[in-house]
Amino acid sequence: MKEMKKQPWWKNAVVYQIYPKSFQDSGGDGIGDIQGIISRLDYLADLGIDAVWISPMYCSPQDDNGYDISDYQDIDPMFGTLADMEELIAEAKKRNIRIIMDLVLNHTSDEHRWFLEAKKGKDNPYHDYYVWRDGVAGEFPNDMKATFGGPAWEWVPELKQYYFHQFSVKQPDLNWENPRVRREIYDMILWWMDKGVGGFRLDVIDQIAKEPDKKITNNGPRLHEFLQEMSRETFQKGDLITVGEAWGANTENAKLYSDPDGSEFSMVFQFEHMVMDQQPGKEKWDLAPLPFVKMKQCMAKWQTELHGTGWNSLFLDNHDLPRIVSRWGDDKNYRKESAKMLAAVLHGMQGTPYIYQGEELGMTNVKFADITHYKDIETLNLYQERLEKGYSREEVMESIYAKSRDNARTPMQWSKEANAGFTTGKPWIEVNPNYVEINAEEERRDPDSVFAFYRRLTHLRKEYPVFVEGRFDLLMEEDEQIFAYTRTSENEEMLVCANFTGEPAECGLIGTWKDAQMLIHNYDGDVSETLRPYEACIILRRKKEN
Ligand code: GLC
């Protein structure tokens, strides 16, 4: 008899992402903190999520909001203490919620002890923890650029050397070729595992095996060797969820990252579907309409290629992306409908869904009047760079309104009280003024809210195995308005059908699903063969017994 293999727990889990600076302030200093998160655990339990990924809270000078770590084994006082962190892990556990730490292993802060030592001399034991090249001032080893603007090399006159940084100058890249670096990292991971964390999200993990002389950053030749070693030495000793962030992933290497044998991570977090609404070969700021058919084909490709051979993360929002309801929905005329539609399309797929704070409320992008209100290093650098290149201020602000990471970083909208209930002080970044209409308090009362829809979706995933197991088939592939697909498992068959536009759309296949059970629907009344603006539903039928 064929034995049923037990699925790992994270396959039917839903993960919630917290950006701690903007989630809930408990101390009145305008910055979110760990006690604030603890005070909102009941809210998260009510939403039905299983794990919380929290963006970095380690000690950090905050050049890149915590993605520049100066001590991996302590909490930044801005967020609380190590004791608060232990309390959070314990309180979350009481509610069956696991805490996922964000591990930034490609680089540290330039204020990390290792880097301070490394700068002292070429023979310092920590020197080789980073990536250095000899040279002369003003002549960079090569023309590589940093993601946040400017060259990827920074001159250190005392050493007559450049160090390599893929992100800001305050984020020097670690040298993974050095086995001592790897050992330090593994010991640190084991230390956190010992504290009871439920998993890790691995920041830009496809960039660790760099070879700058060959201009290789992503997918370096030794990448999977390093990942397999790390997994063996750490993750495989526990029952964790591990998520590799990989901007440069394709479906082939994703099968390595997320091989069901557990040799690397549980799943990959890739962005192919998230970089389509920009001009080909250009930057994300060079806006272009979403090529809808291509986007569907891309998502379908990931669904079919990874079925049975890997595992994907399902997301449309995170702390690096604009708000999806403003990006692919309509945040003016159909905010609720389009937010729900996007959720249904995503949560019906195979993979582990991620809800980014405020997405479950249909929170929108923000338009601050001018650049002085923005905080993100990437946005601020872009603004300067483009003005210098001759772009008009209006053009640059248009790009920022559409794509700035700060769109996702405005404070969580809890209530219609001052500062959206986020803080009693002055928030570190301004609150989106629409909190008066869009807030958690209001939505939790309203059975028809975006929040209620997300709660239903998280529960459906637990109730119907087809969400986890079913094979994916894209329907109406060339249709310019409809996103439709089926999921098929041994006993169940499910149709997800959505109108991605603000105009009515014909969808004949609804007629062939007449007797099926409606699991979720974002409009009142029956669904017909003409879908209303942004109408979406998920329908289920059980297969006939043989
Ligand atoms: C990842 C993070 C992003 C950060 C970058 C550098 O992409 O998600 O916020 O700026 O890595 O660590």
Side-chain angles (χ1 to χ4, degrees):
M1 211 175 85
K2 205 174 107 196
E3 211 184 299
M4 284 287 281
K5 203 172 163 279
K6 199 175 161 286
Q7 299 272 21
W9 65 269
W10 41 261
K11 283 208 170 171
N12 72 357
V14 178
V15 179
Y16 189 88
Q17 187 195 347
I18 287 183
Y19 197 66
K21 253 185 134 167
S22 304
F23 190 61
Q24 176 69 66
D25 176 22
S26 74
D29 65 354
I31 299 173
D33 49 43
I34 299 178
Q35 285 302 331
I37 299 176
I38 294 174
S39 73
R40 296 297 184 180
L41 284 173
D42 288 333
Y43 168 85
L44 298 175
D46 181 32
L47 183 57
I49 54 92
D50 307 270
V52 175
W53 150 28
I54 311 178
S55 286
M57 297 197 290
Y58 315 87
C59 291
S60 160
Q62 300 290 320
D63 185 55
D64 183 21
N65 280 357
Y67 285 91
D68 48 319
I69 297 172
S70 56
D71 186 349
Y72 289 102
Q73 282 167 279
D74 206 355
I75 297 294
D76 197 288
M78 174 171 107
F79 294 119
T81 62
L82 208 49
D84 289 325
M85 190 64 207
E86 283 164 353
E87 187 183 331
L88 171 62
I89 294 169
E91 284 299 320
K93 196 165 178 204
K94 284 186 196 159
R95 296 161 176 87
N96 289 322
I97 295 174
R98 309 193 199 211
I99 299 295
I100 302 174
M101 300 285 286
D102 204 325
L103 277 179
V104 187
L105 305 178
N106 176 66
H107 45 268
T108 67
S109 161
D110 64 342
E111 298 180 34
H112 192 289
R113 184 176 55 87
W114 299 340
F115 193 70
L116 297 178
E117 286 295 319
K119 272 204 313 194
K120 287 185 181 161
K122 289 184 188 169
D123 48 7
N124 186 288
Y126 289 95
H127 185 263
D128 196 37
Y129 274 40
Y130 296 88
V131 181
W132 301 93
R133 292 292 176 269
D134 292 333
V136 284
E139 269 179 49
F140 299 113
N142 61 28
D143 62 357
M144 289 175 83
K145 295 275 175 268
T147 302
F148 298 153
W153 300 99
E154 182 71 6
W155 179 241
V156 179
E158 309 88 89
L159 295 179
K160 294 202 168 32
Q161 282 191 313
Y162 286 91
Y163 68 83
F164 181 64
H165 62 92
Q166 298 188 56
F167 295 90
S168 91
V169 284
K170 286 186 67 60
Q171 293 168 299
D173 269 56
L174 281 166
N175 176 18
W176 273 72
E177 298 286 331
N178 181 345
R180 288 183 51 220
V181 169
R182 306 206 297 274
R183 191 66 252 166
E184 295 244 27
I185 288 174
Y186 305 157
D187 289 344
M188 175 272 288
I189 295 175
L190 291 168
W191 183 85
W192 278 111
M193 285 171 64
D194 221 40
K195 296 221 169 292
V197 304
F200 297 99
R201 177 259 186 187
L202 289 297
D203 188 66
V204 292
I205 201 65
D206 56 336
Q207 294 176 222
I208 59 169
K210 51 236 144 194
E211 292 199 3
D213 300 324
K214 296 189 194 133
K215 298 194 185 176
I216 293 175
T217 53
N218 304 63
N219 300 317
R222 295 189 68 189
L223 176 64
H224 294 282
E225 173 198 333
F226 293 152
L227 298 184
Q228 284 161 22
E229 180 186 87
M230 170 162 64
S231 174
R232 230 178 11 250
E233 294 290 330
T234 61
F235 310 143
Q236 289 174 33
K237 300 181 197 285
D239 178 22
L240 300 177
I241 179 174
T242 51
V243 191
E245 186 204 26
W247 287 79
N250 56 38
T251 50
E252 277 320 298
N253 57 36
K255 292 177 195 168
L256 294 174
Y257 290 120
S258 63
D259 192 315
D261 71 3
S263 54
E264 295 189 12
F265 304 131
S266 318
M267 65 192 80
V268 62
F269 198 96
Q270 58 74 31
F271 292 80
E272 193 177 342
H273 60 302
M274 286 279 96
V275 294
M276 304 191 106
D277 49 2
Q278 67 192 50
Q279 296 165 33
K282 294 214 174 159
E283 295 180 305
K284 72 177 190 183
W285 312 104
D286 300 304
L287 311 177
L290 174 71
F292 177 59
V293 171
K294 264 174 85 178
M295 183 275 283
K296 288 195 290 186
Q297 287 164 342
C298 165
M299 292 191 98
K301 174 186 75 183
W302 280 90
Q303 288 289 301
T304 45
E305 297 252 332
L306 259 52
H307 185 64
T309 59
W311 197 255
N312 206 357
S313 307
L314 305 172
F315 69 95
L316 296 170
D317 264 334
N318 82 358
H319 65 292
D320 294 328
L321 302 172
R323 294 283 180 182
I324 199 63
V325 68
S326 304
R327 187 178 184 179
W328 291 358
D330 177 345
D331 63 6
K332 291 184 187 60
N333 304 311
Y334 296 103
R335 188 186 64 84
K336 270 166 74 168
E337 292 82 355
S338 61
K340 292 176 185 177
M341 179 281 287
L342 290 160
V345 167
L346 189 74
H347 284 239
M349 290 186 186
Q350 185 167 52
T352 297
Y354 285 68
I355 303 173
Y356 176 69
Q357 66 182 47
E359 182 184 348
E360 78 281 17
L361 306 175
M363 272 178 65
T364 68
N365 281 354
V366 73
K367 274 192 178 177
F368 292 135
D370 64 81
I371 195 69
T372 57
H373 302 268
Y374 286 85
K375 305 286 179 196
D376 174 29
I377 180 171
E378 185 192 47
T379 303
L380 299 174
N381 289 352
L382 173 273
Y383 184 79
Q384 281 314 328
E385 233 175 53
R386 291 225 157 169
L387 286 190
E388 279 158 26
K389 283 187 185 152
Y391 288 77
S392 72
R393 197 194 147 276
E394 290 65 36
E395 258 175 302
V396 184
M397 288 313 288
E398 267 323 298
S399 296
I400 290 175
Y401 291 152
K403 292 283 180 72
S404 170
R405 306 196 296 183
D406 279 341
N407 283 307
R409 298 177 181 186
T410 61
M412 177 72 176
Q413 294 170 201
W414 292 108
S415 70
K416 53 160 121 21
E417 276 156 44
N419 297 320
F422 161 69
T423 180
T424 53
K426 184 174 166 359
W428 72 277
I429 186 170
E430 278 166 56
V431 175
N432 191 322
N434 64 18
Y435 72 88
V436 186
E437 300 91 52
I438 307 170
N439 63 67
E441 197 174 75
E442 201 79 5
E443 295 205 20
R444 281 177 88 189
R445 268 201 294 264
D446 174 5
D448 187 40
S449 65
V450 180
F451 178 88
F453 198 85
Y454 269 89
R455 182 166 44 194
R456 174 102 181 101
L457 280 173
T458 59
H459 287 92
L460 283 174
R461 181 160 284 268
K462 304 274 186 297
E463 281 167 42
Y464 299 96
V466 66
F467 276 85
V468 178
E469 297 159 9
R471 189 192 71 228
F472 176 100
D473 288 288
L474 184 64
L475 308 174
M476 301 176 71
E477 184 170 332
E478 301 293 331
D479 195 281
E480 294 284 351
Q481 287 183 281
I482 303 278
F483 200 143
Y485 60 87
T486 49
R487 300 283 311 280
T488 314
S489 66
E490 218 173 312
N491 304 312
E492 294 166 328
E493 197 176 5
M494 175 170 105
L495 172 72
V496 179
C497 193
N499 177 0
F500 232 82
T501 72
E503 304 297 324
E506 292 311 311
C507 184
L509 59 90
I510 290 286
T512 62
W513 282 71
K514 277 233 156 52
D515 303 321
Q517 177 193 352
M518 178 66 76
L519 295 184
I520 193 164
H521 186 196
N522 65 348
Y523 271 83
D524 285 336
D526 289 339
V527 59
S528 77
E529 294 191 356
T530 306
L531 294 183
R532 290 164 276 187
Y534 297 103
E535 185 167 4
C537 61
I538 303 184
I539 320 176
L540 179 94
R541 64 183 168 210
R542 276 171 226 290
K543 289 209 201 143
K544 297 232 164 30
E545 306 271 323
N546 298 324

